Amino acid sequence: MSRPLYQVADVLERNEESLSAYTGNTWQLRTLHALRKCRTAALGGHIDRCDNGQCRQLQLSYNSCRNRHCPQCQGHKREAWIRARGSELLNVPYFHVVFTLPDTLNQLCLHAPKTVYTILFGTAWGVLRDFGADPKFLGADMGMVAILHTWGQNLSLHPHLHCIVPGGGITANGKWKYARNKGKYLFPVKAMSKVFRARFVESLRKEFDRPRSFYDKLFAKDWVVYAKRPFASPQYVVEYLGRYTHKIAISNHRITSLADGRVSFTAKDYRKGGAVQLLGLSDAEFIRRFGLHILPKGFVRIRHYGILSSSRKKMVLPLLMAEMGRCTPEEKPPPILHRRCPRCKEGTLVTVFMFDGRGPPEHWMVKLENQNRNTPNKTA
Ligand SMILES: [Zn+2]
Ligand SMILES: [Zn+2]
Ligand SMILES: [Zn+2]
């Protein structure tokens, strides 16, 4: 994959001294420093050698931070996750349901992210589960995969939950029952929104001691639940999931300039049909906003519920697949291209030496320097 022109890590690096002033807590600060050091000498690395006897090219690589908030460290994890979910696809229509929190809750989200986001997951699942269990709407046991996003396109706080929901469920006699219209219609969103709001606020009241006016204000607005029609085919669900699951607040490819101590990046304006606009922020504001989306340590942001939960799917999925047929997406071979030698493009890179933050020993550096002097530096 080509290195993007500009990176979040570049912004962090040039503000190394000020990061603590731009972030809310030490966990965020630690994360920002990890991202700043990603794929630099500070994290150590390894030397690979091409196994093609004609080539024997040496290549130096620095380790990546593997932090889940890092724009440089998403690709491999995403591929593995998508492959696993692809093997679990049911041959039924899937819906995309999004639960969004009103911005009146932003301060609370920043103050107690773990509690508020946990309530968001629990409430969303409760609403879907109970609408599903209601014979008026479906009368079956449902499942969902939910993914927490906390950002809007301009990087400000905008917490919402993407839920991928099979359009139906299992009835008491163990058979699949489609949602209305052969699974093409889920539940009325207006009704879902009202129940979502009522239950969410009820849970907040139990957790936080706030004045009554605070809760009243939450009822002054309609809360948005959005349900998109089924995906064209279950195969498409996996591709779609991939786009959402391992997404982070901003990808490096969106950054268009880092000139003059400012960060310019593209953003889609969904009120204008997704038109692309260019936004500019000072470094300080960019880092502050990026930090808002660093989740509490260990907080799980992708969760599986109901018949798709890890405890139930092992039992349920094989039965459903036997009943309705399998739906296996086209098998893509795992990407191994990053081990291909960039010079001869035939050999495979084999790691011959690993080193820590102090760097490789002198004699390896000499070997690398000699090689680079003798071969004009053509990077693939
Ligand atoms: Zn990284
Ligand atoms: Zn989102
Ligand atoms: Zn080679």
Side-chain angles (χ1 to χ4, degrees):
M1 207 164 51
S2 66
R3 185 191 187 275
L5 217 45
Y6 305 105
Q7 304 204 11
V8 172
D10 299 332
V11 185
L12 299 176
E13 181 61 33
R14 73 182 181 189
N15 290 277
E16 184 193 348
E17 303 293 324
S18 331
L19 289 184
S20 58
Y22 300 157
T23 42
N25 57 52
T26 47
W27 173 245
Q28 287 181 0
L29 184 61
R30 256 172 66 188
T31 306
L32 291 181
H33 278 300
L35 270 51
R36 178 179 67 76
K37 292 184 205 155
C38 183
R39 294 189 198 178
T40 67
L43 292 191
H46 52 270
I47 295 168
D48 294 330
R49 182 162 51 210
C50 176
D51 68 355
N52 174 357
Q54 312 289 310
C55 174
R56 309 290 281 168
Q57 171 85 355
L58 291 173
Q59 185 162 306
L60 174 83
S61 305
Y62 295 120
N63 292 336
S64 37
C65 71
R66 294 171 182 266
N67 190 291
R68 59 178 172 156
H69 300 96
C70 178
Q72 298 193 80
C73 291
Q74 300 303 309
H76 299 307
K77 270 185 277 173
R78 173 166 52 210
E79 287 296 320
W81 196 86
I82 291 173
R83 268 200 304 281
R85 296 295 85 76
S87 65
E88 294 169 2
L89 269 187
L90 293 171
N91 199 7
V92 303
Y94 278 78
F95 285 84
H96 179 203
V97 185
V98 185
F99 294 86
T100 303
L101 294 184
D103 56 10
T104 23
L105 281 174
N106 278 1
Q107 278 313 315
L108 200 61
C109 290
L110 293 177
H111 167 71
K114 217 175 196 165
T115 310
V116 179
Y117 296 151
T118 300
I119 294 176
L120 174 57
F121 273 106
T123 312
W125 168 237
V127 170
L128 278 167
R129 180 197 57 209
D130 293 351
F131 270 78
D134 188 339
K136 200 165 71 194
F137 298 112
L138 177 67
D141 206 354
M142 297 181 71
M144 79 170 188
V145 179
I147 302 139
L148 175 69
H149 283 181
T150 57
W151 52 85
Q153 278 283 304
N154 61 5
L155 276 188
S156 55
L157 197 67
H158 180 64
H160 57 284
L161 202 64
H162 290 275
C163 304
I164 310 292
V165 185
I170 302 178
T171 57
N173 63 11
K175 293 278 179 236
W176 184 260
K177 185 177 180 193
Y178 283 100
R180 265 184 222 172
N181 205 357
K182 214 172 183 307
K184 291 203 179 99
Y185 179 81
L186 197 60
F187 309 131
V189 283
K190 275 241 163 81
M192 272 202 290
S193 307
K194 280 211 172 117
V195 177
F196 171 55
R197 183 178 65 182
R199 290 189 184 179
F200 194 97
V201 175
E202 190 187 308
S203 299
L204 281 187
R205 271 187 220 270
K206 286 184 194 143
E207 292 289 339
F208 301 99
D209 188 20
R210 298 273 156 142
R212 211 186 137 160
S213 59
F214 174 81
Y215 298 106
D216 288 346
K217 232 186 259 166
L218 293 173
F219 281 105
K221 267 192 189 175
D222 283 335
W223 288 27
V224 186
V225 177
Y226 156 102
K228 222 188 203 173
R229 289 165 46 101
F231 294 101
S233 73
Q235 274 91 344
Y236 188 68
V237 176
V238 173
E239 207 187 303
Y240 192 82
L241 269 176
R243 251 187 276 153
Y244 282 92
T245 47
H246 291 75
K247 208 172 191 177
I248 52 162
I250 184 166
S251 69
N252 283 328
H253 289 278
R254 280 175 57 198
I255 301 176
T256 59
S257 156
L258 293 183
D260 307 321
R262 291 179 70 79
V263 186
S264 304
F265 57 96
T266 57
K268 282 186 188 151
D269 189 342
Y270 289 113
R271 282 164 308 180
K272 292 183 183 154
V276 176
Q277 54 176 170
L278 204 58
L279 297 178
L281 298 174
S282 66
D283 276 11
E285 180 61 9
F286 180 85
I287 295 168
R288 188 192 72 81
R289 290 195 193 180
F290 188 86
L292 299 177
H293 309 294
I294 296 173
L295 292 173
K297 191 174 181 178
F299 189 85
V300 181
R301 55 178 290 260
I302 307 176
R303 303 186 185 195
H304 298 74
Y305 292 91
I307 58 170
L308 297 180
S309 64
S310 58
S311 56
R312 292 189 62 195
K313 70 181 178 191
K314 283 188 200 81
M315 277 272 289
V316 169
L317 293 184
L319 295 176
L320 289 176
M321 283 172 183
E323 182 188 337
M324 295 180 295
R326 275 192 90 85
C327 176
T328 324
E330 276 173 49
E331 194 63 48
K332 276 193 217 153
I336 47 160
L337 289 171
H338 62 291
R339 300 300 291 170
R340 181 75 71 227
C341 170
R343 180 159 171 258
C344 66
K345 304 207 167 45
E346 278 172 18
T348 303
L349 295 174
V350 178
T351 301
V352 289
F353 190 78
M354 289 175 14
F355 56 88
D356 62 16
R358 286 168 297 186
E362 186 65 24
H363 69 275
W364 276 109
M365 290 312 285
V366 173
K367 276 189 201 178
L368 281 159
E369 272 164 33
N370 285 343
Q371 167 189 285
N372 295 343
R373 204 174 300 136
N374 297 334
T375 44
N377 193 14
K378 256 198 252 164
T379 36

